Amino acid sequence: MAKETLTIIDNRTGKSYEIPITHGTIPAMKLREIKVSEDDFGLMSYDPAYQNTASTISRITYIDGERGILEYRGYPIEELAEHSTFLEVAWLLLNGELPTKEELESFQREVTLHTMVHENMREFIEGFRYDAHPMGILISTIAALSTFYPEAKNVSDPANRRLQIIRLIAKVPTLAAYAYRHRRGLPIVYPDNDLSYAGNFLNMMFKMTELKYKPNPVVERALDVLFILHADHEQNCSTSTMRIVGSSKADPYSALAAAAAALSGPLHGGANEQVIHMLRQIGSKDRIPEFIKKVKAGETKLMGFGHRVYKNYDPRAKVIKRLAYEVFDAVGKNPLIDIAVEVERIALEDDYFIKRKLYPNVDFYSGLIYEAMGIPLDMMTVLFAIGRTPGWLAQWEEMHNDPEQKIARPRQVYLGPARRPFVPIGERKKG
Ligand code: CMC
């Protein structure tokens, strides 16, 4: 039988090394045994942007990028989007199994009981400029929550971790809605515990003078599905940030604020907002070929296209595209959809995109639904963050239970100046 090992011959020394292969990986630390002399540091692998480095063993989310498959704890995303609810999926991500009816009811009750935030938070938010980007407000207020729960830093206590997880899942939508109300100059709306998770979020966003807010059921369900689709995506940029910050044993509010900050970038969760800007800029179908020409010339990117892992249609984008038409039937069509569909058609027939395996990702159609729901552009990444919160927390919890994890600390290849003496300021030359 073939051996599950890799033999490396170091041509510098002629020595041979046998390295074990486990789950299709080699332990990078084994490379350090490959040395030219006793005092040599040993070999490292060089992997900018961690394109081929597995940093953890995980049992939460599976992606097959070549085939366009996404599963949470083994359940296909399409089935969860069809049959599940966001809080049920949150439980699944956190606990590994779908909840029983009793478990789900008790989890929903717990989350609902923690939706309020301290009144001080209102004052913080009032301190932001009237036009502050809500993602900036969300990141800052999530971090500020750690000061309200100083016990959260006791991350080695599983019961304490669980309490903070519940608090975060419950309070992130409240902070998100407060950020929106501040931007609009509207009074904040307190959570309504009679409503579902998504329904309550819509209430906190859109309630005006009516005594009781009644969410549109199609919009409420669509939002819940969007949260499900965003709930986890294994070791992406923001999740890796959550794990890296968490690996120093920082409290989960600080780690989750850092994850949200990573998400805010236009190459990650900020892409949905950029897609709408792009579609507005294109403006009409006849201008698409001209725009695609610019993309191919490297002058701009086709936002909402391409993915580090998916080299096929992102399964979340398929669900969202279908969902978009359901939402448009209920609340009116977003006219940008026609441009988006045509951009997709042209791109998928173009050699540039075919050769590079560039397909629509989760962000290509999500912004169109949000816009139709009345959610402004600058709230779109904020909604992504609400959906991703249970995933960040499930990954954080998994990291704390993993005996192989330590404080994260990548290496570097130093190519800067060699050691040299200090030069006094009067003797320095420009340039
Ligand atoms: N438009 C035009 N060309 C692209 C695009 C795009 N959206 N994405 C990748 N390419 C090209 C890229 O220029 C490169 O071409 P070449 O080989 O000629 O240099 C090739 O495709 C490979 O791209 P890459 O930049 O090496 O791929 P990556 O894995 O580093 O980047 C990505 C992945 C998502 C950052 C990138 O595809 C991108 O910038 N997409 C647009 C932004 C976007 O939609 N982001 C949301 C990602 S999904 C949700 C999330 O993660 O939050």
Side-chain angles (χ1 to χ4, degrees):
M1 207 176 82
K3 282 209 278 184
E4 283 292 296
T5 61
L6 175 75
T7 299
I8 296 178
I9 295 169
D10 185 347
N11 293 323
R12 299 170 303 176
T13 59
K15 275 199 203 157
S16 162
Y17 301 82
E18 193 171 350
I19 297 183
I21 299 176
T22 318
H23 307 304
T25 67
I26 54 162
M29 282 303 284
K30 276 276 172 200
L31 298 177
R32 291 270 282 278
E33 292 169 13
I34 303 176
K35 300 178 176 202
V36 282
S37 61
E38 251 329 288
D39 57 356
D40 181 6
F41 183 76
L43 271 192
M44 295 189 290
S45 62
Y46 175 59
D47 186 14
Y50 311 115
Q51 295 182 81
N52 196 38
T53 295
S55 62
T56 187
I57 288 175
S58 183
R59 294 178 173 80
I60 302 174
T61 290
Y62 172 75
I63 303 176
D64 181 333
E66 290 299 324
R67 294 195 291 154
I69 290 173
L70 169 62
E71 294 165 0
Y72 298 160
R73 303 280 192 187
Y75 293 103
I77 192 68
E78 297 81 359
E79 290 186 28
L80 292 169
E82 177 85 27
H83 304 294
S84 198
T85 64
F86 178 61
L87 284 186
E88 192 175 34
V89 166
W91 172 282
L92 171 70
L93 291 170
L94 289 162
N95 299 289
E97 295 297 335
L98 285 166
T100 62
K101 191 166 174 292
E102 292 72 34
E103 282 169 337
L104 181 59
E105 280 168 7
S106 138
F107 182 60
Q108 279 165 340
R109 205 164 35 249
E110 264 187 297
V111 170
T112 306
L113 287 176
H114 284 281
T115 49
M116 299 280 257
V117 295
H118 195 288
E119 281 293 284
N120 273 172
M121 208 47 102
R122 280 175 63 163
E123 292 157 27
F124 288 165
I125 291 175
E126 276 161 20
F128 282 94
R129 277 183 65 84
Y130 71 94
D131 60 350
H133 196 291
M135 199 59 192
I137 299 183
L138 183 73
I139 293 164
S140 316
T141 50
I142 291 171
L145 276 182
S146 72
T147 64
F148 292 88
Y149 306 112
E151 77 279 11
K153 64 178 179 297
N154 183 9
V155 293
S156 53
D157 173 8
N160 183 39
R161 286 203 303 271
R162 187 173 184 282
L163 175 60
Q164 312 316 324
I165 287 173
I166 301 278
R167 282 182 172 147
L168 271 160
I169 293 174
K171 292 182 202 304
V172 165
T174 312
L175 296 175
Y178 279 17
Y180 166 75
R181 302 287 290 199
H182 174 71
R183 182 109 161 81
R184 296 291 305 273
L186 292 166
I188 59 131
V189 176
Y190 290 111
D192 180 342
N193 287 354
D194 293 340
L195 297 173
S196 71
Y197 191 85
N200 173 48
F201 179 66
L202 292 167
N203 159 67
M204 294 188 294
M205 288 280 290
F206 298 126
K207 183 168 184 286
M208 297 305 273
T209 54
E210 66 272 41
L211 284 179
K212 182 98 182 153
Y213 179 83
K214 286 200 191 73
N216 176 320
V218 177
V219 172
E220 183 183 3
R221 175 63 192 155
L223 187 57
D224 206 56
V225 172
L226 284 164
F227 287 156
I228 292 173
L229 297 174
H230 287 89
D232 195 49
H233 214 233
E234 51 116 313
Q235 310 311 315
N236 55 80
C237 177
S238 56
T239 302
S240 299
T241 303
M242 181 87 198
R243 281 180 174 263
I244 288 180
V245 177
S247 78
S248 74
K249 308 264 188 259
D251 70 82
Y253 301 97
S254 304
L256 202 124
L263 185 76
S264 70
L267 297 188
H268 194 6
N272 49 19
E273 192 177 333
Q274 298 304 322
V275 170
I276 302 291
H277 284 303
M278 177 189 79
L279 295 173
R280 283 185 188 164
Q281 189 198 332
I282 296 173
S284 60
K285 284 201 223 172
D286 57 306
R287 295 185 53 195
I288 297 173
E290 180 197 335
F291 179 79
I292 296 283
K293 218 162 129 189
K294 279 194 190 147
V295 171
K296 288 162 64 174
E299 288 170 35
T300 184
K301 270 192 169 174
L302 180 48
M303 297 309 287
F305 259 66
H307 200 276
R308 172 65 55 80
V309 181
Y310 293 118
K311 301 300 164 202
N312 201 324
Y313 214 110
D314 181 334
R316 301 167 300 174
K318 270 190 200 155
V319 177
I320 294 178
K321 192 175 175 186
R322 251 195 336 267
L323 197 64
Y325 288 99
E326 286 171 31
V327 173
F328 298 160
D329 279 348
V331 296
K333 184 173 156 182
N334 185 335
L336 292 178
I337 183 77
D338 295 334
I339 300 177
V341 169
E342 186 63 4
V343 166
E344 181 192 324
R345 190 190 65 76
I346 294 178
L348 294 186
E349 284 175 1
D350 191 299
D351 246 17
Y352 175 94
F353 298 90
I354 296 170
K355 233 175 55 208
R356 292 170 178 77
K357 299 187 177 174
L358 301 173
Y359 291 87
N361 60 48
V362 69
D363 290 315
F364 193 65
Y365 287 106
S366 61
L368 292 169
I369 305 188
Y370 290 142
E371 221 190 13
M373 287 175 175
I375 287 166
L377 242 65
D378 57 11
M379 279 297 286
M380 292 179 182
T381 313
V382 170
L383 266 81
F384 193 152
I386 297 174
R388 186 55 56 86
T389 293
W392 286 330
L393 291 165
Q395 301 271 350
W396 175 76
E397 179 63 22
E398 185 175 60
M399 180 201 68
H400 277 288
N401 286 309
D402 182 348
E404 286 188 336
Q405 291 297 330
K406 290 170 172 244
I407 184 166
R409 201 334 184 158
R411 292 280 177 175
Q412 66 166 8
V413 178
Y414 178 72
L415 296 179
R419 188 184 176 94
R420 50 186 173 161
F422 180 78
V423 182
I425 194 159
E427 294 169 26
R428 290 175 210 163
K429 293 194 185 74
K430 201 161 178 245

